[in-house]
Amino acid sequence: MASYGGFPPDSDSRKNSQQAQQSHPAVALGSAGYQQGNSPYPQNTSGLQHHQYGQAAQNGIPNAGTPGQEHGYFPPQEQAPTDDPGSVGGLTSQMGGMGIGADHAAVSRPNKKKNRHAYHNIDQPTVTAQAFNQNTGNAQQYVNQDPTQPTNAANPYAGQKVTPLMNQFPAQSSAPFSPGLQQSAGPGFQNQTQSIPTPSGPGVSAQGRVDPEQIPSIARARDGAAQYYLDHIYPTMEQHLPPPGAIPFMAVDQGNSSPKYARLTLNNIPATSDALSTTGLPLGLVLQPLAPLQGGENPIPVLDFGELGPPRCRRCRAYINPFMTFRSGGNKLVCNMCTFPNDVSPEYFAPTDPSGTRVDRAQRLELTTGTVEYLVPKEYWAVKPVGLRWLFVLDVSADAISKGFLEAFCRGILMALYGAKDEDLDGPEMNSESSAEKRTIPIGSKVGFVTFDKAIHYYNCSEHLENAQMLVMSDLEDPFVPLGSDGLFVDPYNSKSIITRFLTQLPGLFSQVKIPEPALLPTLESAVAALSATGGKIICSLATLPTFGPGRLFLRDKNDLHGIETEKKLFQTEHPGFKKLGGKMVESGIGIDFFIAAPAGKYMDIATVGHLSAVSGGETFFYPNYMAPRDSLQLSQEIKHTATRETGYQALMKVRCSNGLQVSSYHGNFMQHSFGADLEFGVIDADKAIGVMFSYDGKLDAKLDAHFQCALLYTTSSGERRVRCTNTVASVSEQAAESMRYIDQDAVVNIIAKEAATRMTEKPLKDIRTALTEKTVDILAGYRKTFSGSHPPGQLVLPENLKEFSMYILGLIKSRAFKAGHEPSDRRTHTMRQLKSMSPLELSLLLYPRIFPLHSLPPESGFPDPNTGQLIVPPTIRASFSRIEEGGAYLVDDGQVCLLWLHSQVSPNLLEDLFGSGYADLQSLNPMLSSLPVLETHLNAQVRNLLAYWSSLRGSKAITIQLARQGLDGAEYEFARLLVEDRNNEAQSYVDWLVNLHRHIQMELTGQRKREDGSGGMGTMGMENAMAGITSLWSGKE
């Protein structure tokens, strides 16, 4: 197997690679950045046609907007009395009679720790948003904030103290940072809780029913945090509770890696295994090592230590990082992982000052930055690094042609390689550094093309030819590559005219052949042989079940295994040929992305075919019931995203941790030959995340921090061999009560989801749903028993930072992977593998979609704020049909699909403003619509700008519209499925779920709890008794 390996580039190459690490901007710099196409909209939108929809009552029903939703980001709130710092908007009076409170964690313990072993006093100025937002205006005003609302205790973040640069981690001088959650007014952490014995007051009805308005709201928490981070950045060492995963934020690396790269489930770790077990929480780390940066963030520094390579610990092999310390005047380097004192090489020596700090520390990025990349010498190479080779493998069988899949796939490749049609990207000048920013793939990368049906066709697209040449390989038993690598792989810009002509003519070339059965496995074996010398990435299309030649597959899902224990066989890869090929791909540093279309919902055996992408670190894009007029735009955009996102290949990953901890398991899409071995990836990209679980092999020292380092060795798409080091630190405490105050909810949910997905091939779905339910009860009951203070037994008390946790787990149980009832095995398997590699952003949206009402958009939404330049984003609503208004129009986005749901009585004015004149009723709309036309109307501009903005906040899936007209489109069933707070997907509603959780927690407290029998949700027995103690979980002190 390959050892860690790269060659040192010149300085200009490094500069370009740093500049290339920019993601799509997640904040608007100006209106022009959000006006799609050739839109004529000026910055001033007063000239656009603007209508108010639903201002007058229709059929007696007011349609002015969602209840409580007004123009402006948040509705005006009642000011809290000055003598009640914990109340917000009159919420104290409601909480006065409720039995549920979102409890603050235990009382802050005195600061008695000695100075920690790790060096934390990183000499950097206190960061502000002013460094990144040139036009921030009044820093005291949030974007779209009600100017009449003073900054005081009623404002969610007005009293937020930022901890000073500290000598200990975390600092005890202020409350934990938790935007979207109300902070108590006092400094530090007070264990302020609600103590309400019986259900009464405004939050509870006369029948003891729960008021859904008062239970924790994911939509409200997201909106509050997103609003806060419009004007604030996240300093990684000053604050220790990361922002929610589903919102954009700007992070400043102060030595601890940004949460975009690494999230710990607990940012304060109990010293012993017994203390951790009292919480019921997993100790894990979610890693997204190549996560994209937000516009304005500093690029990852790339450091070159020459032939010596970066300094490393001789015992545990950890890389130099900001938390290693120097002793003996700078001659000894003490490892923060294993505490081993290493000799410092003469080349790296620098003296230390009286405090033990290197005098050149401020100039050493590896000593001040949590995430860095090191260029590595030849000893880290497996083969000589070259630019990434992309091999496009296209299905040209009958279904691919007749359904329009091949034509759309060819258009997607052209879009990925050349972008807009009017751009001039021809000629060798595109290989110059001055034109590098115009290329969609880096200089040095090359592309090749292969098609297949019952035979394999290779294409020579050399720039010296007039037209592409086809070579046919008909031997499927022992296929070989009939074309040399110089002819198969070409620079896409030198050969642009040939490639463009070839891809344009390809669908017509096979339109008369129409072979129904493709031979997939021999084609991929031949493709791997073509890439084995250099490594690379395959992008493969497939439009029908491969039933011809070696490796042919059969219909395994005949609906006779659903709902029984043997259903798990449908999620497993049983074909030995695909298993063998997957191992060979990883060994050769090759990964694959599949684009699989299933016309009419046909069975595609994704469990077997998608196994190759799962083990090689790739991804499967699945289009059930593919229809070209509707889905071709999404397909093209996702091909472009695949080819242009940051991608590495020939990758190895190693995770190290402090003494007293050890890695217990990994979860994700990769290959690991044995426990404890490095993780191997054929390819790894910016959207992939890995879950790491830890266990104790001793006791942690509460006087020292716990440290974690992820080292990813990979070759960049431009051909540099690098190691990306991600360093994360957490404090250690003797008591678990302190740890409960530093829970990262997104990381906990992500780890649990990845572990559950891993078990799908081992356990029946019924058992997994039961395990998720029991885990939720364990966590909440553990907190209730140990950390919630003197609350009466009849109250449901939630950890402050886990208030939405139960809703996320309910969303997980309702997901296609785990839901009860019938679900095609292809969709279950596809979702399972997605869960294993999803980032916190994608998973959060998948489990709880964001829903935006379009009929009540404030006029300023969807346009840049004139003071800050940030796009004004409207608030979301809860995912429940009770929030849907008659005559309304809603965008629903779960990160995978974006539905435009239109009520049957939607305003004709709204339809014409959105789609154009002549579209005054639902029947006139094209059901295959996938994007909005460019119109000179206010609403049209708003929605298009918002869609452009959200496209950078999704992950790997493109954002295209799918119509869901009430009573007309089948997509309405998907809309109903996404309303996860309602009773659907063979599971309970959010309110019923909380009631049953409360009942089981009460049984645990009294010693009467029995484990569930495996039903998808908890039964309704005892619901009436549980109602007696459950009311609002929204405490208002966040």
Side-chain angles (χ1 to χ4, degrees), residues 397-405 514:
S397 63
D399 274 351
I401 297 171
S402 62
K403 302 300 182 181
F405 187 61
K514 296 184 179 179

Side-chain angles (χ1 to χ4, degrees), residues 622-788:
F622 183 44
Y623 306 90
N625 193 26
Y626 176 84
M627 303 181 73
R630 181 191 65 198
D631 300 324
S632 59
L633 178 61
Q634 180 182 359
L635 173 65
S636 298
Q637 291 181 356
E638 288 175 352
I639 294 173
K640 180 178 181 181
H641 178 75
T642 296
T644 56
R645 64 187 171 188
E646 184 174 5
T647 302
Y649 68 106
Q650 294 179 341
L652 297 173
M653 177 183 285
K654 180 76 172 180
V655 177
R656 298 177 174 87
C657 54
S658 295
N659 286 340
L661 295 174
Q662 61 183 357
V663 175
S664 60
S665 62
Y666 294 95
H667 301 292
N669 291 336
F670 51 79
M671 179 169 284
Q672 187 179 26
H673 288 286
S674 62
F675 179 75
D678 294 347
L679 306 186
E680 300 180 40
F681 304 83
V683 293
I684 187 169
D685 58 63
D687 297 318
K688 298 299 179 295
I690 298 96
V692 188
M693 299 282 288
F694 300 96
S695 61
Y696 290 79
D697 63 356
K699 180 180 179 181
L700 296 176
D701 188 348
K703 298 179 181 178
L704 304 178
D705 290 328
H707 297 272
F708 305 86
Q709 185 180 82
C710 167
L712 176 70
L713 171 72
Y714 72 106
T715 303
T716 67
S717 56
S718 59
E720 293 180 347
R721 195 69 170 160
R722 299 178 180 178
V723 172
R724 175 167 292 196
C725 285
T726 303
N727 299 284
T728 307
V729 64
S731 59
V732 179
S733 58
E734 294 286 355
Q735 302 298 325
E738 179 132 345
S739 302
M740 298 300 292
R741 296 158 46 198
Y742 296 98
I743 301 172
D744 186 337
Q745 181 173 253
D746 287 280
V748 173
V749 172
N750 200 283
I751 287 290
I752 291 176
K754 283 177 166 51
E755 186 173 14
T758 303
R759 300 287 179 261
M760 276 188 64
T761 57
E762 306 168 4
K763 301 289 184 181
L765 293 176
K766 182 179 179 181
D767 292 350
I768 296 177
R769 291 191 296 268
T770 300
L772 290 171
T773 300
E774 296 295 336
K775 185 65 173 178
T776 305
V777 174
D778 289 341
I779 292 174
L780 299 182
Y783 178 78
R784 184 67 179 87
K785 287 191 298 185
T786 311
F787 309 110
S788 63

Side-chain angles (χ1 to χ4, degrees), residues 858-876:
E860 66 274 10
S861 293
F863 294 100
D865 183 275
N867 296 321
T868 66
Q870 306 268 8
L871 193 77
I872 300 175
V873 181
T876 57

Side-chain angles (χ1 to χ4, degrees), residues 390-396 405 409 413 450-452 518-521 523-524 527 537-543 546 578 585 591-597 609 612-613 619-621 623 635 639 642:
W390 299 84
L391 187 58
F392 294 93
V393 180
L394 291 80
D395 178 4
V396 293
F405 187 61
F409 199 83
I413 296 175
V450 175
T451 60
F452 69 101
L520 177 63
L521 185 61
T523 302
L524 294 180
K537 185 166 186 176
I538 301 170
I539 297 181
C540 180
S541 69
L542 186 66
F578 282 86
M585 292 176 68
I592 184 169
D593 282 356
F594 277 107
F595 290 81
I596 300 178
V609 175
L612 298 178
S613 60
E619 186 170 0
T620 298
F621 295 83
Y623 306 90
L635 173 65
I639 294 173
T642 296

Side-chain angles (χ1 to χ4, degrees), residues 342-359:
N342 297 271
D343 292 330
V344 177
S345 65
E347 295 82 2
Y348 193 66
F349 174 80
T352 58
D353 61 20
S355 66
T357 305
R358 279 178 64 116
V359 295

Side-chain angles (χ1 to χ4, degrees), residues 237 353 375 398 455 473 478 507 631 647 740 816 901 983:
M237 289 292 285
D353 61 20
L375 294 170
M473 166 59 60
D478 188 19
D631 300 324
T647 302
M740 298 300 292
R816 294 190 185 277
W901 186 85
R983 183 178 180 86

Side-chain angles (χ1 to χ4, degrees), residues 171 360 375 396 420 425 532 655 905 907 922 935 997:
D360 64 344
L375 294 170
V396 293
L425 302 179
S532 59
V655 177
Q905 299 180 20
S907 167
L922 295 182
L935 304 176
L997 285 179

